[in-house]
Amino acid sequence: MASISASEGKPEKKKGWFPDSLVLIFSLIIVAQILSYIIPSGTFDRVPAPEGLHGDMVVPGSFHAAEAAPSLEPWHFLTAIPRGLESAQEIIFLVFLVGGVIALLRASGAIDAVLFRAVRAFGASPGILIGGTLVLFGAGAFTIGMGEEYMPLIPILVTMCLAMKLDSIVAMGILWASYGVGWATAGTNPFGVLIAQDIAGLPPTSGLWFRVVLFLICLLIAFQHIYAYARKIQADPSKSLVAHVDYSKGFDIPEDVAFTWPRKLILSVFVGGIVFFVYGAQNWGWYILELNTIFLAIGALTALIARMDPNDAGKVFVGGAAEMTAAALLIGFARAIEVVLTDGMIIDTIINAIASLLDGLGPDMAALGMLGVQTITNFFIPSGSGQAFVTMPIMSPLADLTGVSQQTAVLAYQFGDGFTNMVVPTSALVIGTLALGKIPYVQWVKFVTPLLLKLFAFAAVALVFSVHFGEYIGFAN
């Protein structure tokens, strides 16, 4: 992925007041240890999960003070970090392998080719363009958690939108709405829903079809918002939120966007591999090991079909994996927070305190409360996988105590993480894509805020619906 750097001769930009994600999580690890000296140690009684699930289930009402409260050494938070990395090793290796394979797919030209072909085919109508690309990008986020991979495509989208007398806000809306909706409703995303379901003791990809329905409805909401804006600025270009920005230079179409048979075959292999994994997860209990295997096969076949030089393919794979280092570290550091809370025996105390706040509100309000917690958390931990490891160990037992199904707790995490992915200023991806599209952050917030309000209103309805009709939609524990 191309990096974004300041041009030579330009004054250095003033640093924002938001801390880097790794710094923030490291600080939370320290805070977790400090809390272990303040919060009384306690624990719940637990029983084995029902057949077909793994882990233990909290026994509601069984919280009691720990008989022997541990006292952590001052340097315990440092030892917790390598233990967190070790604990999350399966997910970390998955992140590296997926990153390498996605890099091979992009190097083959297949992704750029199918995007340009779709945009050209839909270009006769803004509605078809917006709807088609929303589905295209959204499917990538829904299935394998694509997001960073879309950044290099921004110049293509902006160029096509400008040619249709639209603006860069429309291009960014297409990308970020599909990305946010895809993550918020994902059914097979290995960086989000699969991690959360694993922590919650749920079978991977369970509840898939209800999430597909949510995905389509949320895409319709996003389409209405973007299309209404597009029609407004086509009728009156002065209404554009970026009418004052110069787009006369820097948005050229890539030279090689031919949708050749080798690229078609590569995309078929990719789609076929994802479908095969979904089937295996639902019928044979496949998970991380099998997903890694399938992605490696996709990468090898991509290099073979594209006739890449083995050495070049190796460098591309390593480069793609290297770009995921930050995400991998965030996952391990985030897991270290749980390690410290568990070692200090205060995680159950925190759960019990939160449950007490929600006591008497009923499962409806508890589900909405979970959505609020996850939404706020994502402003500080924009990594979906990192957030899952921080919050789901607390939300999963809390669901047992408040009468909320584990699937609903996972869905609350997905909504809180995915939708706010469109706007969080702590996300390097948000800031980077806006920079590529020459969109001021304030103007982007003006455009996306009404959309977020619509999506969160629907999310609240969906959560309450899942509480009352979970058994009919595959959301009952």
Side-chain angles (χ1 to χ4, degrees):
M1 180 186 299
S3 60
I4 302 173
S5 58
S7 300
E8 293 184 6
K10 290 185 178 181
E12 184 179 353
K13 292 183 178 180
K14 183 179 179 181
K15 293 183 178 180
W17 61 271
F18 291 100
D20 180 80
S21 296
L22 192 62
V23 173
L24 178 61
I25 292 179
F26 183 75
S27 301
L28 290 175
I29 298 172
I30 298 175
V31 170
Q33 175 150 342
I34 294 173
L35 291 176
S36 73
Y37 302 133
I38 301 172
I39 299 175
S41 300
T43 185
F44 288 106
D45 293 333
R46 286 175 166 81
V47 296
E51 185 177 355
L53 304 179
H54 66 276
D56 296 324
M57 306 283 285
V58 167
V59 178
S62 64
F63 179 79
H64 57 276
E67 295 181 0
S71 179
L72 305 182
E73 296 90 350
W75 56 86
H76 188 87
F77 69 96
L78 293 175
T79 63
I81 293 174
R83 289 172 58 204
L85 290 164
E86 179 184 5
S87 178
Q89 59 182 297
E90 281 191 339
I91 303 298
I92 290 174
F93 290 142
L94 172 64
V95 166
F96 282 130
L97 292 177
V98 170
V101 172
I102 294 298
L104 287 172
L105 288 168
R106 293 219 65 246
S108 72
I111 292 179
D112 287 345
V114 72
L115 170 68
F116 184 76
R117 185 179 180 87
V119 170
R120 186 174 59 183
F122 299 149
S125 168
I128 297 177
L129 169 68
I130 294 169
T133 47
L134 276 174
V135 172
L136 183 66
F137 289 141
F142 184 92
T143 54
I144 61 169
M146 292 184 71
E148 289 86 352
E149 297 77 18
Y150 295 152
M151 182 182 281
L153 304 181
I154 286 295
I156 300 175
L157 281 175
V158 172
T159 299
M160 296 307 299
C161 285
L162 292 176
M164 297 176 61
K165 298 182 179 180
L166 302 174
D167 65 7
S168 61
I169 291 284
V170 174
M172 204 65 58
I174 290 171
L175 185 146
W176 274 110
S178 56
Y179 170 70
V181 166
W183 272 75
T185 61
T188 61
N189 178 356
F191 307 118
V193 64
L194 294 190
I195 295 176
Q197 287 182 328
D198 181 58
I199 295 173
L202 295 167
T205 74
S206 55
L208 176 62
W209 294 114
F210 183 59
R211 287 181 168 84
V212 170
V213 172
L214 295 177
F215 172 67
L216 295 175
I217 294 175
C218 287
L219 279 186
L220 284 175
I221 295 172
F223 172 81
Q224 180 279 325
H225 183 78
I226 299 170
Y227 186 56
Y229 174 82
R231 293 189 63 182
K232 181 176 70 174
I233 64 172
Q234 277 192 320
D236 184 0
S238 67
K239 299 290 186 180
S240 170
L241 293 172
V242 288
H244 60 290
V245 179
D246 180 15
Y247 287 95
S248 60
K249 297 180 181 179
F251 296 96
D252 300 319
I253 298 174
E255 295 182 2
D256 182 12
V257 292
F259 199 36
T260 61
W261 278 109
R263 288 173 177 172
K264 293 178 182 178
L265 183 57
I266 288 170
L267 289 172
S268 297
V269 168
F270 170 69
V271 173
I274 296 301
V275 172
F276 188 41
F277 168 73
V278 171
Y279 182 85
Q282 292 180 333
N283 295 277
W284 303 321
W286 284 6
Y287 190 45
I288 300 297
L289 175 62
E290 292 79 11
L291 185 58
N292 280 333
T293 302
I294 287 176
F295 264 102
L296 284 173
I298 291 173
L301 289 172
T302 296
L304 182 64
I305 296 170
R307 297 182 179 180
M308 296 182 186
D309 179 87
N311 291 334
D312 292 339
K315 291 177 182 178
V316 169
F317 181 86
V318 171
E323 290 178 357
M324 305 302 290
T325 300
L329 286 174
L330 285 173
I331 291 171
F333 273 61
R335 178 60 72 90
I337 299 173
E338 181 191 353
V339 170
V340 173
L341 294 175
T342 301
D343 291 347
M345 295 186 69
I346 63 172
I347 191 168
D348 283 0
T349 306
I350 296 172
I351 294 168
N352 186 62
I354 296 175
S356 298
L357 293 175
L358 300 176
D359 186 31
L361 296 180
D364 290 351
M365 293 304 299
L368 296 178
M370 290 178 184
L371 173 61
V373 170
Q374 298 287 6
T375 299
I376 294 171
T377 300
N378 197 45
F379 276 85
F380 300 98
I381 308 176
S383 165
S385 49
Q387 182 177 338
F389 280 121
V390 170
T391 60
M392 283 309 300
I394 295 176
M395 293 301 158
S396 178
L398 180 60
D400 293 333
L401 297 174
T402 56
V404 175
S405 73
Q406 292 295 324
Q407 290 284 12
T408 298
V410 171
L411 188 61
Y413 148 74
Q414 291 182 259
F415 284 150
D417 168 57
F419 292 145
T420 46
N421 277 341
M422 303 182 199
V423 72
V424 286
T426 49
S427 169
L429 185 58
V430 171
I431 302 304
T433 52
L434 292 178
L436 281 176
K438 294 186 177 181
I439 300 174
Y441 180 73
V442 173
Q443 301 305 102
W444 173 245
V445 171
K446 288 181 180 179
F447 171 79
V448 81
T449 298
L451 173 58
L452 288 175
L453 292 176
K454 298 173 190 175
L455 290 172
F456 274 114
F458 173 73
V461 172
L463 287 172
V464 173
F465 179 86
S466 71
V467 168
H468 291 279
F469 301 98
E471 61 182 310
Y472 303 107
I473 58 175
F475 264 44
N477 288 343

